[in-house]
Amino acid sequence: MKKKWWIMRAYAFLLASLLALALLPAAGRAVLSDVYFTAVNEQLLDLSSETMPFWSDGVLYVSSRVFEGTDLGVSYVRNNTMGLVMLYTNRVDLRFDLEDQTAYDKRGNVYNGHAIERGGGVFFPLDLVCRYFRLTWSYSQTNTAPLIRIKSSGGILDDAGFIDAASTQMASRYAAYEKSLGGAPESGGGLPSQPGSGTAPPPVVQAAEGQQVYLLFSVDDRADALAAAEQLGSVQGTFLLGLAELADGDLVRALTAGGHSVGLRLEGGAEELEQARDLLWQGSCTWLELVWYEGREDIDGILEDQGCLRVRAGLDWRNTGLRGSVQAESLLWAAGQRREDLAVYLGRAGDCTGGLGTLVGSLSEAGYRICPYRA
């Protein structure tokens, strides 16, 4: 009887093991390389080989499907006769010549980037498009495949909330996509994979020779600012303070003594400039040179008259955040698509400390010079 019980127990264990193995992806298909989900705000797009994002020469491209029937507020049109494709709103447009591989707007301004025709569809350089139309994008890992998410100001959920809400839908679409391939998935044309997408080695991000990165922080809390400065270690950042923070002489002295740049975060009118200048001089005997403001063009001339420089960010990362290493990795990839000096606005200093150390280390390893913004 005892022998029979052990046989039954061994059989049950073997059956459970076989069932568990059956639930795993097939060998060689544990994670399909070069496969990405694409989402627009709260809408998960179809997962198909024809519209799959891909990397080319370090640039991430997304399908024109992103701009068709979604709520980004950017529309897509194609003119086969002229060989042009265009993305546009009711105010601006960005035109791509497929033959000449150029990009320009209706005013004739030329941009560094081009569209790619592939498999009968058109793909656009995501970072250029987001910068031009003031959108944001992010890269996130999920339980199945990485997610590329494009967001407008109308987006509601953060990336973690969206992934949680769409997890069942992503699992279902991933399984259907894998099944549709029949056999082993086709290679993505030898293009590099984003970090985390399977076992394929990630493409290496490398700065251009002498390329500088300026990290910008908005300060509304003394402790947060000092914590961010500490995590920067031996490199310096740029801290944007309002009048209330500039009145904290100890904070201003600590930042300037560390070699960091301190600028005014202009929230009102031009009258703040004189107050900010007095406060900064009283706190650290330094002259006000840098001013950050948004949504106003009438003050540019006043700044010039006062000998101040407007701080501008080439990459706005405030909505994505820097809570940990995943966001730091995504930011490194976004920076890697630029070959010129780059100012990165990280938003509130208190929202950055989770991944700031990782970001600084990754940027340094990639050869970037992390410097304070200077007039």
Side-chain angles (χ1 to χ4, degrees), residues 43-122:
Q43 179 183 355
L44 183 68
L45 303 186
D46 291 337
L47 187 64
S48 72
S49 300
E50 291 75 23
T51 60
M52 190 75 66
F54 64 87
W55 293 81
S56 178
D57 295 328
V59 177
L60 179 62
Y61 285 82
V62 294
S63 168
S64 60
R65 172 67 182 85
V66 166
F67 309 98
E68 299 177 290
T70 64
D71 61 351
L72 277 181
V74 179
S75 300
Y76 162 74
V77 66
R78 176 168 184 167
N79 187 319
N80 288 323
T81 303
M82 299 181 65
L84 289 177
V85 291
M86 183 169 70
L87 299 175
Y88 65 94
T89 68
N90 59 358
R91 296 181 59 189
V92 295
D93 65 54
L94 191 56
R95 309 173 187 191
F96 296 85
D97 190 313
L98 295 174
E99 183 176 348
D100 293 342
Q101 293 194 327
T102 56
Y104 56 95
D105 61 24
K106 61 183 178 182
R107 295 181 178 179
N109 299 311
V110 178
Y111 298 88
N112 184 23
H114 62 275
I116 293 178
E117 193 167 15
R118 182 178 183 182
V122 176

Side-chain angles (χ1 to χ4, degrees), residues 349-367:
D351 296 335
C352 301
T353 52
L356 184 56
T358 301
L359 175 65
V360 169
S362 298
L363 288 171
S364 299
E365 289 178 7

Side-chain angles (χ1 to χ4, degrees), residues 276-335:
R277 175 171 292 167
D278 291 341
L279 289 171
L280 189 56
W281 182 259
Q282 293 169 16
S284 63
C285 294
T286 55
W287 191 252
L288 177 66
E289 296 181 319
L290 304 177
V291 178
W292 167 277
Y293 62 94
E294 296 179 282
R296 297 186 58 183
E297 301 298 332
D298 59 316
I299 209 165
D300 281 348
I302 298 175
L303 286 186
E304 186 175 350
D305 293 340
Q306 296 289 332
C308 296
L309 175 70
R310 180 178 181 179
V311 179
R312 300 177 184 269
L315 185 59
D316 189 341
W317 206 253
R318 79 184 97 174
N319 293 328
T320 303
L322 199 59
R323 298 181 302 275
S325 59
V326 172
Q327 289 77 27
E329 186 179 62
S330 297
L331 178 50
L332 176 66
W333 283 105

Side-chain angles (χ1 to χ4, degrees), residues 217-232:
F217 305 88
S218 177
V219 175
D220 57 10
D221 181 86
R222 176 183 180 181
D224 289 342
L226 295 177
E230 182 178 357
Q231 289 204 22
L232 286 172

